[in-house]
PDB file of all heavy atoms in Angstrom:
ATOM      1  N   GLY A 158       7.232  11.080  -3.929  1.00 98.00           N
ATOM      2  CA  GLY A 158       8.093  10.195  -3.161  1.00 98.00           C
ATOM      3  C   GLY A 158       8.631  10.897  -1.926  1.00 98.00           C
ATOM      4  O   GLY A 158       8.783  12.135  -1.916  1.00 98.00           O
ATOM      5  N   ALA A 159       8.874  10.102  -0.892  1.00 97.00           N
ATOM      6  CA  ALA A 159       9.403  10.666   0.354  1.00 97.00           C
ATOM      7  C   ALA A 159      10.450   9.716   0.943  1.00 97.00           C
ATOM      8  O   ALA A 159      10.647   9.677   2.149  1.00 97.00           O
ATOM      9  CB  ALA A 159       8.272  10.914   1.346  1.00 97.00           C
ATOM     10  N   GLY A 160      11.105   8.951   0.080  1.00 93.00           N
ATOM     11  CA  GLY A 160      12.158   8.038   0.525  1.00 93.00           C
ATOM     12  C   GLY A 160      13.491   8.774   0.574  1.00 93.00           C
ATOM     13  O   GLY A 160      13.555  10.008   0.538  1.00 93.00           O
ATOM     14  N   GLY A 161      14.568   7.992   0.636  1.00 92.00           N
ATOM     15  CA  GLY A 161      15.893   8.580   0.754  1.00 92.00           C
ATOM     16  C   GLY A 161      16.238   9.492  -0.421  1.00 92.00           C
ATOM     17  O   GLY A 161      16.761  10.592  -0.226  1.00 92.00           O
ATOM     18  N   ALA A 162      15.923   9.049  -1.627  1.00 94.00           N
ATOM     19  CA  ALA A 162      16.266   9.854  -2.803  1.00 94.00           C
ATOM     20  C   ALA A 162      15.456  11.148  -2.818  1.00 94.00           C
ATOM     21  O   ALA A 162      15.985  12.219  -3.133  1.00 94.00           O
ATOM     22  CB  ALA A 162      16.021   9.051  -4.077  1.00 94.00           C
ATOM     23  N   ASN A 182       3.223  11.455  -1.416  1.00 98.00           N
ATOM     24  CA  ASN A 182       3.755  10.108  -1.169  1.00 98.00           C
ATOM     25  C   ASN A 182       2.626   9.140  -0.858  1.00 98.00           C
ATOM     26  O   ASN A 182       1.609   9.520  -0.286  1.00 98.00           O
ATOM     27  CB  ASN A 182       4.744  10.148   0.003  1.00 98.00           C
ATOM     28  CG  ASN A 182       5.590   8.898   0.056  1.00 98.00           C
ATOM     29  OD1 ASN A 182       6.130   8.470  -0.957  1.00 98.00           O
ATOM     30  ND2 ASN A 182       5.675   8.283   1.217  1.00 98.00           N
ATOM     31  N   ARG A 183       2.834   7.862  -1.261  1.00 97.00           N
ATOM     32  CA  ARG A 183       1.828   6.833  -0.970  1.00 97.00           C
ATOM     33  C   ARG A 183       1.514   6.809   0.516  1.00 97.00           C
ATOM     34  O   ARG A 183       0.354   6.779   0.922  1.00 97.00           O
ATOM     35  CB  ARG A 183       2.367   5.469  -1.407  1.00 97.00           C
ATOM     36  CG  ARG A 183       1.492   4.318  -0.958  1.00 97.00           C
ATOM     37  CD  ARG A 183       2.042   3.010  -1.416  1.00 97.00           C
ATOM     38  NE  ARG A 183       3.375   2.709  -0.882  1.00 97.00           N
ATOM     39  CZ  ARG A 183       4.035   1.591  -1.102  1.00 97.00           C
ATOM     40  NH1 ARG A 183       3.507   0.674  -1.889  1.00 97.00           N
ATOM     41  NH2 ARG A 183       5.232   1.388  -0.593  1.00 97.00           N
ATOM     42  N   THR A 184       2.556   6.821   1.348  1.00 98.00           N
ATOM     43  CA  THR A 184       2.363   6.823   2.799  1.00 98.00           C
ATOM     44  C   THR A 184       2.466   8.276   3.266  1.00 98.00           C
ATOM     45  O   THR A 184       3.571   8.827   3.370  1.00 98.00           O
ATOM     46  CB  THR A 184       3.473   5.977   3.478  1.00 98.00           C
ATOM     47  OG1 THR A 184       3.535   4.705   2.813  1.00 98.00           O
ATOM     48  CG2 THR A 184       3.207   5.783   4.944  1.00 98.00           C
ATOM     49  N   ARG A 187       5.077   9.754   5.831  1.00 97.00           N
ATOM     50  CA  ARG A 187       6.499   9.973   5.493  1.00 97.00           C
ATOM     51  C   ARG A 187       6.712  11.354   4.868  1.00 97.00           C
ATOM     52  O   ARG A 187       7.724  12.003   5.097  1.00 97.00           O
ATOM     53  CB  ARG A 187       6.985   8.906   4.516  1.00 97.00           C
ATOM     54  CG  ARG A 187       7.367   7.613   5.196  1.00 97.00           C
ATOM     55  CD  ARG A 187       7.924   6.644   4.167  1.00 97.00           C
ATOM     56  NE  ARG A 187       9.375   6.588   4.170  1.00 97.00           N
ATOM     57  CZ  ARG A 187      10.079   5.907   3.273  1.00 97.00           C
ATOM     58  NH1 ARG A 187       9.471   5.257   2.302  1.00 97.00           N
ATOM     59  NH2 ARG A 187      11.395   5.884   3.337  1.00 97.00           N
ATOM     60  N   THR A 221       9.903   8.179  -6.742  1.00 97.00           N
ATOM     61  CA  THR A 221       9.472   6.871  -6.234  1.00 97.00           C
ATOM     62  C   THR A 221      10.135   5.812  -7.111  1.00 97.00           C
ATOM     63  O   THR A 221      10.756   6.133  -8.129  1.00 97.00           O
ATOM     64  CB  THR A 221       7.936   6.687  -6.320  1.00 97.00           C
ATOM     65  OG1 THR A 221       7.575   6.470  -7.683  1.00 97.00           O
ATOM     66  CG2 THR A 221       7.182   7.882  -5.772  1.00 97.00           C
ATOM     67  N   SER A 222       9.956   4.561  -6.728  1.00 95.00           N
ATOM     68  CA  SER A 222      10.505   3.504  -7.582  1.00 95.00           C
ATOM     69  C   SER A 222       9.489   3.052  -8.641  1.00 95.00           C
ATOM     70  O   SER A 222       9.777   2.126  -9.404  1.00 95.00           O
ATOM     71  CB  SER A 222      10.976   2.333  -6.724  1.00 95.00           C
ATOM     72  OG  SER A 222      10.037   2.065  -5.714  1.00 95.00           O
ATOM     73  N   MET A 225       9.977   1.756 -12.605  1.00 94.00           N
ATOM     74  CA  MET A 225      11.210   0.984 -12.788  1.00 94.00           C
ATOM     75  C   MET A 225      10.849  -0.406 -13.307  1.00 94.00           C
ATOM     76  O   MET A 225       9.779  -0.927 -12.980  1.00 94.00           O
ATOM     77  CB  MET A 225      11.909   0.851 -11.433  1.00 94.00           C
ATOM     78  CG  MET A 225      13.276   0.279 -11.481  1.00 94.00           C
ATOM     79  SD  MET A 225      14.106   0.671  -9.929  1.00 94.00           S
ATOM     80  CE  MET A 225      13.828  -0.819  -9.031  1.00 94.00           C
ATOM     81  N   ILE A 247      13.847   9.842 -11.679  1.00 97.00           N
ATOM     82  CA  ILE A 247      15.167   9.375 -11.239  1.00 97.00           C
ATOM     83  C   ILE A 247      15.342   7.880 -11.482  1.00 97.00           C
ATOM     84  O   ILE A 247      16.438   7.358 -11.364  1.00 97.00           O
ATOM     85  CB  ILE A 247      15.464   9.752  -9.778  1.00 97.00           C
ATOM     86  CG1 ILE A 247      14.604   8.972  -8.799  1.00 97.00           C
ATOM     87  CG2 ILE A 247      15.295  11.242  -9.562  1.00 97.00           C
ATOM     88  CD1 ILE A 247      15.140   9.085  -7.377  1.00 97.00           C
ATOM     89  N   TYR A 249      16.129   4.947 -13.751  1.00 94.00           N
ATOM     90  CA  TYR A 249      16.874   4.954 -15.020  1.00 94.00           C
ATOM     91  C   TYR A 249      16.904   3.593 -15.711  1.00 94.00           C
ATOM     92  O   TYR A 249      17.612   3.408 -16.702  1.00 94.00           O
ATOM     93  CB  TYR A 249      18.292   5.512 -14.827  1.00 94.00           C
ATOM     94  CG  TYR A 249      19.107   4.790 -13.800  1.00 94.00           C
ATOM     95  CD1 TYR A 249      19.829   3.648 -14.118  1.00 94.00           C
ATOM     96  CD2 TYR A 249      19.148   5.255 -12.492  1.00 94.00           C
ATOM     97  CE1 TYR A 249      20.573   2.985 -13.167  1.00 94.00           C
ATOM     98  CE2 TYR A 249      19.890   4.595 -11.534  1.00 94.00           C
ATOM     99  CZ  TYR A 249      20.598   3.467 -11.874  1.00 94.00           C
ATOM    100  OH  TYR A 249      21.329   2.806 -10.911  1.00 94.00           O
ATOM    101  N   GLY A 270      16.974   9.631 -15.486  1.00 97.00           N
ATOM    102  CA  GLY A 270      17.677   9.406 -14.223  1.00 97.00           C
ATOM    103  C   GLY A 270      19.166   9.144 -14.362  1.00 97.00           C
ATOM    104  O   GLY A 270      19.889   9.098 -13.363  1.00 97.00           O
ATOM    105  N   LEU A 274      22.668   9.802 -11.791  1.00 97.00           N
ATOM    106  CA  LEU A 274      23.615   8.729 -11.486  1.00 97.00           C
ATOM    107  C   LEU A 274      25.052   9.159 -11.825  1.00 97.00           C
ATOM    108  O   LEU A 274      25.989   8.917 -11.065  1.00 97.00           O
ATOM    109  CB  LEU A 274      23.247   7.471 -12.288  1.00 97.00           C
ATOM    110  CG  LEU A 274      24.138   6.276 -12.061  1.00 97.00           C
ATOM    111  CD1 LEU A 274      23.890   5.677 -10.683  1.00 97.00           C
ATOM    112  CD2 LEU A 274      23.920   5.209 -13.134  1.00 97.00           C
TER     113      LEU A 274
HETATM  114  P1  NAP B  30      13.122   4.302  -0.836  1.00 52.19           P
HETATM  115  O1  NAP B  30      13.775   5.094   0.252  1.00 52.19           O
HETATM  116  O2  NAP B  30      12.800   2.875  -0.606  1.00 52.19           O
HETATM  117  O3  NAP B  30      11.768   5.077  -1.263  1.00 52.19           O
HETATM  118  C1  NAP B  30      10.892   4.531  -2.202  1.00 52.19           C
HETATM  119  C2  NAP B  30       9.795   5.540  -2.543  1.00 52.19           C
HETATM  120  O4  NAP B  30       8.946   4.973  -3.560  1.00 52.19           O
HETATM  121  C3  NAP B  30       8.890   5.897  -1.358  1.00 52.19           C
HETATM  122  O5  NAP B  30       8.410   7.200  -1.512  1.00 52.19           O
HETATM  123  C4  NAP B  30       7.762   4.854  -1.539  1.00 52.19           C
HETATM  124  O6  NAP B  30       6.552   5.242  -0.930  1.00 52.19           O
HETATM  125  C5  NAP B  30       7.613   4.868  -3.048  1.00 52.19           C
HETATM  126  N1  NAP B  30       6.998   3.633  -3.527  1.00 52.19           N
HETATM  127  C6  NAP B  30       7.576   2.400  -3.627  1.00 52.19           C
HETATM  128  N2  NAP B  30       6.695   1.496  -4.107  1.00 52.19           N
HETATM  129  C7  NAP B  30       5.539   2.176  -4.322  1.00 52.19           C
HETATM  130  C8  NAP B  30       4.241   1.802  -4.814  1.00 52.19           C
HETATM  131  N3  NAP B  30       3.982   0.532  -5.184  1.00 52.19           N
HETATM  132  N4  NAP B  30       3.291   2.755  -4.899  1.00 52.19           N
HETATM  133  C9  NAP B  30       3.554   4.037  -4.537  1.00 52.19           C
HETATM  134  N5  NAP B  30       4.742   4.460  -4.058  1.00 52.19           N
HETATM  135  C10 NAP B  30       5.730   3.535  -3.952  1.00 52.19           C
HETATM  136  O7  NAP B  30      14.006   4.338  -2.169  1.00 52.19           O
HETATM  137  P2  NAP B  30      14.953   5.517  -2.699  1.00 52.19           P
HETATM  138  O8  NAP B  30      16.350   5.230  -2.274  1.00 52.19           O
HETATM  139  O9  NAP B  30      14.355   6.824  -2.328  1.00 52.19           O
HETATM  140  O10 NAP B  30      14.910   5.266  -4.284  1.00 52.19           O
HETATM  141  C11 NAP B  30      13.746   5.501  -5.051  1.00 52.19           C
HETATM  142  C12 NAP B  30      14.025   5.198  -6.522  1.00 52.19           C
HETATM  143  O11 NAP B  30      15.016   6.072  -7.010  1.00 52.19           O
HETATM  144  C13 NAP B  30      14.571   3.783  -6.779  1.00 52.19           C
HETATM  145  O12 NAP B  30      13.971   3.302  -7.966  1.00 52.19           O
HETATM  146  C14 NAP B  30      16.060   3.995  -7.007  1.00 52.19           C
HETATM  147  O13 NAP B  30      16.620   3.017  -7.891  1.00 52.19           O
HETATM  148  C15 NAP B  30      16.050   5.359  -7.666  1.00 52.19           C
HETATM  149  N6  NAP B  30      17.306   6.115  -7.439  1.00 52.19           N
HETATM  150  C16 NAP B  30      17.942   6.623  -8.539  1.00 52.19           C
HETATM  151  C17 NAP B  30      19.121   7.354  -8.370  1.00 52.19           C
HETATM  152  C18 NAP B  30      19.824   7.916  -9.570  1.00 52.19           C
HETATM  153  O14 NAP B  30      21.019   8.188  -9.471  1.00 52.19           O
HETATM  154  N7  NAP B  30      19.152   8.120 -10.682  1.00 52.19           N
HETATM  155  C19 NAP B  30      19.641   7.570  -7.079  1.00 52.19           C
HETATM  156  C20 NAP B  30      18.942   7.054  -5.970  1.00 52.19           C
HETATM  157  C21 NAP B  30      17.765   6.317  -6.176  1.00 52.19           C
HETATM  158  P3  NAP B  30       6.231   4.805   0.600  1.00 52.19           P
HETATM  159  O15 NAP B  30       6.929   5.809   1.470  1.00 52.19           O
HETATM  160  O16 NAP B  30       4.751   4.888   0.682  1.00 52.19           O
HETATM  161  O17 NAP B  30       6.760   3.408   0.767  1.00 52.19           O
END
Side-chain angles (χ1 to χ4, degrees):
N182 196 47
R183 171 179 61 177
T184 310
R187 278 184 100 187
T221 74
S222 43
M225 189 163 97
I247 70 166
Y249 57 85
L274 181 72

